[in-house]
Amino acid sequence: MSTADFTVLHPEKGDYHFKDYQQEREQFSWKQADEGFSWKQTGKVNMAHECIDRHVAEGHGNKIAFHYINGDEEAFFTYKEVKEKTDHYASILKHHGVKKGDFVFVFLPKHPDCYFAILSVVKLGAIAGPLFEAFMEEAVKDRISDCGGKYLITDEDLVKRVPKNDLPSLQKIFITSGKAGSDEVQLQDELHSIQADPFVTEWVDLDHGLNIHYTSGSTGKPKGIIHAHRAMGQQYLTGHWVLDLKEDDVYWCTAHPGWVTGTVYGIFAPMLNRATIVINGGRFHARSWYSAIEKAGVTVWYSAPTAYRMLMGEGKEAVNEFDLSSLRHLLSVGEPLNPEVIYWGQSVLGKRIHDTWWMTETGAQLIVNLPSQIIKPGSMGKPLPGIEAAVLDDHGNELPRGEIGHLAIKAGWPALMKEVWKNKEKYSSYFPFQGWYLSGDLAVQDDDGYVFFQGRSDDMINSSGERIGPFEVESKLIEHPAVAEAGVIGKPDPLRGEVVKAFIVLRNGYVADEQLLDDIKKFVKTKLAAHAAPREIEILEELPKTKISGKILRRELKAHELRKSAAG
Ligand code: PRX
């Protein structure tokens, strides 16, 4: 894609927190991001304290922290109530043995309990592992067993997808709603028998583990990316500058906390900024989303290109049925944001959509479109002050502006992951060239510093903003009795960016008919996760492989697919 094909969009007039790009870049130091935190005075560090208790101590206890909406159901929780609830949950967890450094997984739908649970775990200095609510048994098992998760907070429905017998490390399961089994703890019942300790918070070092998110790569099972409490400075500052959160804002991040966006920009960044957060339960449905905006009076909205494309597909009529005039600032993340979608946002919603770029590993936004700056549709924006981005060649040399190469960031920003769980080699693989973090994305930077995404340099698939490792899907496919071999790629798709396409070789004796293919798709869907299941399966006689090591050549499969699509 050329970098200059599209009309730029100028900022709307407004009193934004972030003013002058050049000036901020020149003056900036990361120290200033930490200035407002109470630990700067007390020396006592804990992310949950800065997100909740500090605001209460400073007299803002009555401010609404959560506005929960699920169809006709609605509930509000003030910052004071969130403090009380998380103190109480944390006290119960502590009573049952949870301590600093333990891995505690949270497998709950988008409901306030999910948020209370994560924040309570953080209060105890334990490491929160939020799991996406659509994960099936295998995905749950892989994650909990990889880091030896000791505790799990879930509910009576989702617990059915937890293969307890295959999880020897798991010591206790807490159930937030519904009946608990005889070997489980019913959290609501415990609220009556165990007292809340208002001083339950454990103080930790800035580099202490905060949360773990499993993320897919092109090889192997998902890897556990651990972030540290030190991420808070950057998460606060990006909430202040990029989300531009102000006292009266009502903020909605549509991602589930099982994904890094849902934790960092669904919980930490907005709470560090003392925002009112909308928690919208249920699945995507255009009208219910518009209705949530209207009902809550959402002013700042962070979503993903696939969601925006789906809304666009519903047409203007759906928009016109609702009063969306509260919206003042729109953002997007996770996959390429098409210029058409930005123009749609401008003409139909009357707002620019601000693309942002970051990754699970980076812990916070790095390349962004700021509300006071020009947007070049097709670009992810410019590096934040404090962030140095470059486009490198295969040997780590910086390429001139305008040339395509590997998107790299000068290492050392505060939110950068602390470690890849028990995988030093994987961690080092992000830093092949002295001082640079290599993202795995390909990009071009123009003369003004705007960065344009050009694809991945590996085989990873990005479907609806969800990162899917081909290896994981291939491994599941070959567990199906009919599948001898499998190769998986991302096939370009106008709505989802990419969809998972599998090429398989059948075992002898199996006949390729619709029913079998459906059965194979369902197998992956129910065992692994719906978003990772192939939408298309093609049968081949054999798969292309490297001569020496016999590895599947996914690039050839992709080329085959693209040739086929081009031929119509
Ligand atoms: O390929 C890039 C894509 O998503 C990857 C990171 O995925 P994940 O760790 O799941 O985090 C997603 C949300 C933080 C990146 O390597 N990606 C992320 N943002 C963008 C993007 N691709 C294009 N444009 C973006 N704005």
Side-chain angles (χ1 to χ4, degrees), residues 497-519:
E498 286 184 318
V499 291
V500 177
K501 168 147 189 183
F503 294 87
I504 58 170
V505 177
L506 286 180
R507 283 188 192 285
N508 284 341
Y510 284 91
V511 183
D513 57 20
E514 276 305 306
Q515 202 187 337
L516 178 67
L517 297 188
D518 274 351
D519 189 67

PDB file of all heavy atoms in Angstrom, residues 497-519:
ATOM      1  N   GLY A 497     -10.703  -9.582   8.509  1.00  0.00           N
ATOM      2  CA  GLY A 497      -9.277  -9.376   8.230  1.00  0.00           C
ATOM      3  C   GLY A 497      -8.684 -10.655   7.653  1.00  0.00           C
ATOM      4  O   GLY A 497      -8.267 -10.711   6.506  1.00  0.00           O
ATOM      5  N   GLU A 498      -8.702 -11.703   8.475  1.00  0.00           N
ATOM      6  CA  GLU A 498      -8.304 -13.026   7.994  1.00  0.00           C
ATOM      7  C   GLU A 498      -9.228 -14.047   8.636  1.00  0.00           C
ATOM      8  O   GLU A 498      -9.754 -13.814   9.716  1.00  0.00           O
ATOM      9  CB  GLU A 498      -6.876 -13.357   8.436  1.00  0.00           C
ATOM     10  CG  GLU A 498      -5.797 -12.606   7.670  1.00  0.00           C
ATOM     11  CD  GLU A 498      -4.381 -13.038   8.083  1.00  0.00           C
ATOM     12  OE1 GLU A 498      -4.123 -13.229   9.284  1.00  0.00           O
ATOM     13  OE2 GLU A 498      -3.545 -13.184   7.192  1.00  0.00           O
ATOM     14  N   VAL A 499      -9.402 -15.183   7.962  1.00  0.00           N
ATOM     15  CA  VAL A 499     -10.067 -16.316   8.616  1.00  0.00           C
ATOM     16  C   VAL A 499      -9.106 -17.502   8.577  1.00  0.00           C
ATOM     17  O   VAL A 499      -8.200 -17.566   7.740  1.00  0.00           O
ATOM     18  CB  VAL A 499     -11.405 -16.704   7.948  1.00  0.00           C
ATOM     19  CG1 VAL A 499     -12.451 -15.637   8.176  1.00  0.00           C
ATOM     20  CG2 VAL A 499     -11.226 -16.990   6.460  1.00  0.00           C
ATOM     21  N   VAL A 500      -9.325 -18.436   9.500  1.00  0.00           N
ATOM     22  CA  VAL A 500      -8.458 -19.618   9.563  1.00  0.00           C
ATOM     23  C   VAL A 500      -8.848 -20.575   8.437  1.00  0.00           C
ATOM     24  O   VAL A 500     -10.003 -20.966   8.322  1.00  0.00           O
ATOM     25  CB  VAL A 500      -8.610 -20.322  10.933  1.00  0.00           C
ATOM     26  CG1 VAL A 500      -7.762 -21.585  10.983  1.00  0.00           C
ATOM     27  CG2 VAL A 500      -8.253 -19.372  12.068  1.00  0.00           C
ATOM     28  N   LYS A 501      -7.867 -20.909   7.613  1.00  0.00           N
ATOM     29  CA  LYS A 501      -8.114 -21.927   6.579  1.00  0.00           C
ATOM     30  C   LYS A 501      -7.154 -23.090   6.793  1.00  0.00           C
ATOM     31  O   LYS A 501      -5.954 -22.894   6.981  1.00  0.00           O
ATOM     32  CB  LYS A 501      -7.930 -21.327   5.190  1.00  0.00           C
ATOM     33  CG  LYS A 501      -7.876 -22.411   4.110  1.00  0.00           C
ATOM     34  CD  LYS A 501      -8.457 -22.028   2.790  1.00  0.00           C
ATOM     35  CE  LYS A 501      -8.533 -23.272   1.908  1.00  0.00           C
ATOM     36  NZ  LYS A 501      -9.017 -23.011   0.573  1.00  0.00           N
ATOM     37  N   ALA A 502      -7.708 -24.299   6.771  1.00  0.00           N
ATOM     38  CA  ALA A 502      -6.868 -25.485   6.989  1.00  0.00           C
ATOM     39  C   ALA A 502      -6.760 -26.294   5.707  1.00  0.00           C
ATOM     40  O   ALA A 502      -7.739 -26.454   4.974  1.00  0.00           O
ATOM     41  CB  ALA A 502      -7.470 -26.345   8.095  1.00  0.00           C
ATOM     42  N   PHE A 503      -5.562 -26.760   5.444  1.00  0.00           N
ATOM     43  CA  PHE A 503      -5.346 -27.735   4.361  1.00  0.00           C
ATOM     44  C   PHE A 503      -5.037 -29.053   5.058  1.00  0.00           C
ATOM     45  O   PHE A 503      -4.151 -29.102   5.921  1.00  0.00           O
ATOM     46  CB  PHE A 503      -4.168 -27.310   3.499  1.00  0.00           C
ATOM     47  CG  PHE A 503      -4.420 -26.035   2.746  1.00  0.00           C
ATOM     48  CD1 PHE A 503      -4.147 -24.803   3.338  1.00  0.00           C
ATOM     49  CD2 PHE A 503      -4.948 -26.054   1.465  1.00  0.00           C
ATOM     50  CE1 PHE A 503      -4.397 -23.620   2.672  1.00  0.00           C
ATOM     51  CE2 PHE A 503      -5.196 -24.873   0.776  1.00  0.00           C
ATOM     52  CZ  PHE A 503      -4.916 -23.658   1.383  1.00  0.00           C
ATOM     53  N   ILE A 504      -5.763 -30.088   4.696  1.00  0.00           N
ATOM     54  CA  ILE A 504      -5.514 -31.355   5.393  1.00  0.00           C
ATOM     55  C   ILE A 504      -5.307 -32.507   4.410  1.00  0.00           C
ATOM     56  O   ILE A 504      -5.772 -32.470   3.272  1.00  0.00           O
ATOM     57  CB  ILE A 504      -6.659 -31.732   6.370  1.00  0.00           C
ATOM     58  CG1 ILE A 504      -8.003 -31.834   5.632  1.00  0.00           C
ATOM     59  CG2 ILE A 504      -6.775 -30.751   7.507  1.00  0.00           C
ATOM     60  CD1 ILE A 504      -9.105 -32.431   6.495  1.00  0.00           C
ATOM     61  N   VAL A 505      -4.591 -33.497   4.890  1.00  0.00           N
ATOM     62  CA  VAL A 505      -4.482 -34.761   4.165  1.00  0.00           C
ATOM     63  C   VAL A 505      -5.260 -35.765   5.007  1.00  0.00           C
ATOM     64  O   VAL A 505      -5.041 -35.863   6.222  1.00  0.00           O
ATOM     65  CB  VAL A 505      -3.002 -35.194   4.039  1.00  0.00           C
ATOM     66  CG1 VAL A 505      -2.895 -36.531   3.343  1.00  0.00           C
ATOM     67  CG2 VAL A 505      -2.204 -34.124   3.311  1.00  0.00           C
ATOM     68  N   LEU A 506      -6.176 -36.485   4.338  1.00  0.00           N
ATOM     69  CA  LEU A 506      -7.011 -37.433   5.093  1.00  0.00           C
ATOM     70  C   LEU A 506      -6.306 -38.765   5.287  1.00  0.00           C
ATOM     71  O   LEU A 506      -5.473 -39.169   4.468  1.00  0.00           O
ATOM     72  CB  LEU A 506      -8.327 -37.688   4.344  1.00  0.00           C
ATOM     73  CG  LEU A 506      -9.364 -36.560   4.371  1.00  0.00           C
ATOM     74  CD1 LEU A 506     -10.594 -36.981   3.576  1.00  0.00           C
ATOM     75  CD2 LEU A 506      -9.757 -36.179   5.796  1.00  0.00           C
ATOM     76  N   ARG A 507      -6.630 -39.417   6.362  1.00  0.00           N
ATOM     77  CA  ARG A 507      -6.136 -40.780   6.564  1.00  0.00           C
ATOM     78  C   ARG A 507      -6.846 -41.719   5.605  1.00  0.00           C
ATOM     79  O   ARG A 507      -7.983 -41.440   5.186  1.00  0.00           O
ATOM     80  CB  ARG A 507      -6.447 -41.247   7.988  1.00  0.00           C
ATOM     81  CG  ARG A 507      -5.530 -40.679   8.989  1.00  0.00           C
ATOM     82  CD  ARG A 507      -5.737 -41.303  10.348  1.00  0.00           C
ATOM     83  NE  ARG A 507      -5.025 -40.517  11.318  1.00  0.00           N
ATOM     84  CZ  ARG A 507      -3.688 -40.535  11.468  1.00  0.00           C
ATOM     85  NH1 ARG A 507      -2.950 -41.341  10.728  1.00  0.00           N
ATOM     86  NH2 ARG A 507      -3.098 -39.763  12.332  1.00  0.00           N
ATOM     87  N   ASN A 508      -6.189 -42.815   5.303  1.00  0.00           N
ATOM     88  CA  ASN A 508      -6.811 -43.803   4.409  1.00  0.00           C
ATOM     89  C   ASN A 508      -8.165 -44.237   4.952  1.00  0.00           C
ATOM     90  O   ASN A 508      -8.328 -44.390   6.153  1.00  0.00           O
ATOM     91  CB  ASN A 508      -5.922 -45.051   4.307  1.00  0.00           C
ATOM     92  CG  ASN A 508      -4.740 -44.761   3.407  1.00  0.00           C
ATOM     93  OD1 ASN A 508      -4.781 -43.821   2.619  1.00  0.00           O
ATOM     94  ND2 ASN A 508      -3.678 -45.542   3.557  1.00  0.00           N
ATOM     95  N   GLY A 509      -9.085 -44.413   4.027  1.00  0.00           N
ATOM     96  CA  GLY A 509     -10.380 -44.947   4.450  1.00  0.00           C
ATOM     97  C   GLY A 509     -11.408 -43.866   4.741  1.00  0.00           C
ATOM     98  O   GLY A 509     -12.573 -44.175   4.948  1.00  0.00           O
ATOM     99  N   TYR A 510     -10.988 -42.597   4.768  1.00  0.00           N
ATOM    100  CA  TYR A 510     -11.972 -41.535   5.022  1.00  0.00           C
ATOM    101  C   TYR A 510     -12.356 -40.845   3.721  1.00  0.00           C
ATOM    102  O   TYR A 510     -11.515 -40.627   2.846  1.00  0.00           O
ATOM    103  CB  TYR A 510     -11.416 -40.499   5.999  1.00  0.00           C
ATOM    104  CG  TYR A 510     -11.415 -41.002   7.417  1.00  0.00           C
ATOM    105  CD1 TYR A 510     -10.309 -41.662   7.935  1.00  0.00           C
ATOM    106  CD2 TYR A 510     -12.540 -40.843   8.224  1.00  0.00           C
ATOM    107  CE1 TYR A 510     -10.312 -42.141   9.230  1.00  0.00           C
ATOM    108  CE2 TYR A 510     -12.555 -41.314   9.529  1.00  0.00           C
ATOM    109  CZ  TYR A 510     -11.440 -41.963  10.024  1.00  0.00           C
ATOM    110  OH  TYR A 510     -11.453 -42.442  11.312  1.00  0.00           O
ATOM    111  N   VAL A 511     -13.626 -40.531   3.614  1.00  0.00           N
ATOM    112  CA  VAL A 511     -14.108 -39.894   2.391  1.00  0.00           C
ATOM    113  C   VAL A 511     -14.417 -38.427   2.703  1.00  0.00           C
ATOM    114  O   VAL A 511     -15.054 -38.111   3.707  1.00  0.00           O
ATOM    115  CB  VAL A 511     -15.408 -40.587   1.902  1.00  0.00           C
ATOM    116  CG1 VAL A 511     -15.876 -39.973   0.583  1.00  0.00           C
ATOM    117  CG2 VAL A 511     -15.174 -42.074   1.756  1.00  0.00           C
ATOM    118  N   ALA A 512     -13.925 -37.573   1.799  1.00  0.00           N
ATOM    119  CA  ALA A 512     -14.103 -36.133   2.022  1.00  0.00           C
ATOM    120  C   ALA A 512     -15.510 -35.708   1.650  1.00  0.00           C
ATOM    121  O   ALA A 512     -15.798 -35.478   0.484  1.00  0.00           O
ATOM    122  CB  ALA A 512     -13.100 -35.378   1.168  1.00  0.00           C
ATOM    123  N   ASP A 513     -16.406 -35.651   2.597  1.00  0.00           N
ATOM    124  CA  ASP A 513     -17.715 -35.072   2.301  1.00  0.00           C
ATOM    125  C   ASP A 513     -18.004 -33.948   3.310  1.00  0.00           C
ATOM    126  O   ASP A 513     -17.266 -33.758   4.273  1.00  0.00           O
ATOM    127  CB  ASP A 513     -18.818 -36.141   2.297  1.00  0.00           C
ATOM    128  CG  ASP A 513     -18.890 -36.890   3.617  1.00  0.00           C
ATOM    129  OD1 ASP A 513     -18.388 -36.358   4.629  1.00  0.00           O
ATOM    130  OD2 ASP A 513     -19.430 -38.009   3.635  1.00  0.00           O
ATOM    131  N   GLU A 514     -19.083 -33.217   3.022  1.00  0.00           N
ATOM    132  CA  GLU A 514     -19.425 -32.056   3.848  1.00  0.00           C
ATOM    133  C   GLU A 514     -19.515 -32.402   5.329  1.00  0.00           C
ATOM    134  O   GLU A 514     -19.056 -31.660   6.197  1.00  0.00           O
ATOM    135  CB  GLU A 514     -20.786 -31.474   3.415  1.00  0.00           C
ATOM    136  CG  GLU A 514     -20.706 -30.524   2.242  1.00  0.00           C
ATOM    137  CD  GLU A 514     -19.726 -29.380   2.473  1.00  0.00           C
ATOM    138  OE1 GLU A 514     -19.867 -28.681   3.497  1.00  0.00           O
ATOM    139  OE2 GLU A 514     -18.813 -29.196   1.644  1.00  0.00           O
ATOM    140  N   GLN A 515     -20.107 -33.565   5.594  1.00  0.00           N
ATOM    141  CA  GLN A 515     -20.336 -33.956   6.983  1.00  0.00           C
ATOM    142  C   GLN A 515     -19.011 -34.135   7.736  1.00  0.00           C
ATOM    143  O   GLN A 515     -18.864 -33.691   8.874  1.00  0.00           O
ATOM    144  CB  GLN A 515     -21.137 -35.241   7.013  1.00  0.00           C
ATOM    145  CG  GLN A 515     -21.852 -35.415   8.329  1.00  0.00           C
ATOM    146  CD  GLN A 515     -22.513 -36.779   8.411  1.00  0.00           C
ATOM    147  OE1 GLN A 515     -22.802 -37.404   7.386  1.00  0.00           O
ATOM    148  NE2 GLN A 515     -22.730 -37.235   9.620  1.00  0.00           N
ATOM    149  N   LEU A 516     -18.051 -34.762   7.036  1.00  0.00           N
ATOM    150  CA  LEU A 516     -16.760 -34.981   7.684  1.00  0.00           C
ATOM    151  C   LEU A 516     -16.075 -33.632   7.952  1.00  0.00           C
ATOM    152  O   LEU A 516     -15.541 -33.395   9.036  1.00  0.00           O
ATOM    153  CB  LEU A 516     -15.865 -35.874   6.811  1.00  0.00           C
ATOM    154  CG  LEU A 516     -14.476 -36.119   7.383  1.00  0.00           C
ATOM    155  CD1 LEU A 516     -14.545 -36.961   8.659  1.00  0.00           C
ATOM    156  CD2 LEU A 516     -13.556 -36.800   6.374  1.00  0.00           C
ATOM    157  N   LEU A 517     -16.123 -32.753   6.946  1.00  0.00           N
ATOM    158  CA  LEU A 517     -15.465 -31.454   7.128  1.00  0.00           C
ATOM    159  C   LEU A 517     -16.106 -30.668   8.263  1.00  0.00           C
ATOM    160  O   LEU A 517     -15.426 -30.049   9.075  1.00  0.00           O
ATOM    161  CB  LEU A 517     -15.505 -30.639   5.824  1.00  0.00           C
ATOM    162  CG  LEU A 517     -14.755 -31.259   4.643  1.00  0.00           C
ATOM    163  CD1 LEU A 517     -14.690 -30.292   3.475  1.00  0.00           C
ATOM    164  CD2 LEU A 517     -13.339 -31.681   5.030  1.00  0.00           C
ATOM    165  N   ASP A 518     -17.436 -30.741   8.342  1.00  0.00           N
ATOM    166  CA  ASP A 518     -18.141 -30.077   9.446  1.00  0.00           C
ATOM    167  C   ASP A 518     -17.722 -30.659  10.786  1.00  0.00           C
ATOM    168  O   ASP A 518     -17.534 -29.940  11.764  1.00  0.00           O
ATOM    169  CB  ASP A 518     -19.660 -30.254   9.307  1.00  0.00           C
ATOM    170  CG  ASP A 518     -20.238 -29.185   8.434  1.00  0.00           C
ATOM    171  OD1 ASP A 518     -19.485 -28.244   8.103  1.00  0.00           O
ATOM    172  OD2 ASP A 518     -21.419 -29.296   8.063  1.00  0.00           O
ATOM    173  N   ASP A 519     -17.594 -31.964  10.785  1.00  0.00           N
ATOM    174  CA  ASP A 519     -17.218 -32.652  12.017  1.00  0.00           C
ATOM    175  C   ASP A 519     -15.807 -32.218  12.472  1.00  0.00           C
ATOM    176  O   ASP A 519     -15.565 -32.008  13.657  1.00  0.00           O
ATOM    177  CB  ASP A 519     -17.272 -34.164  11.764  1.00  0.00           C
ATOM    178  CG  ASP A 519     -17.098 -34.925  13.048  1.00  0.00           C
ATOM    179  OD1 ASP A 519     -18.001 -34.820  13.893  1.00  0.00           O
ATOM    180  OD2 ASP A 519     -16.043 -35.575  13.216  1.00  0.00           O
TER     181      ASP A 519
END
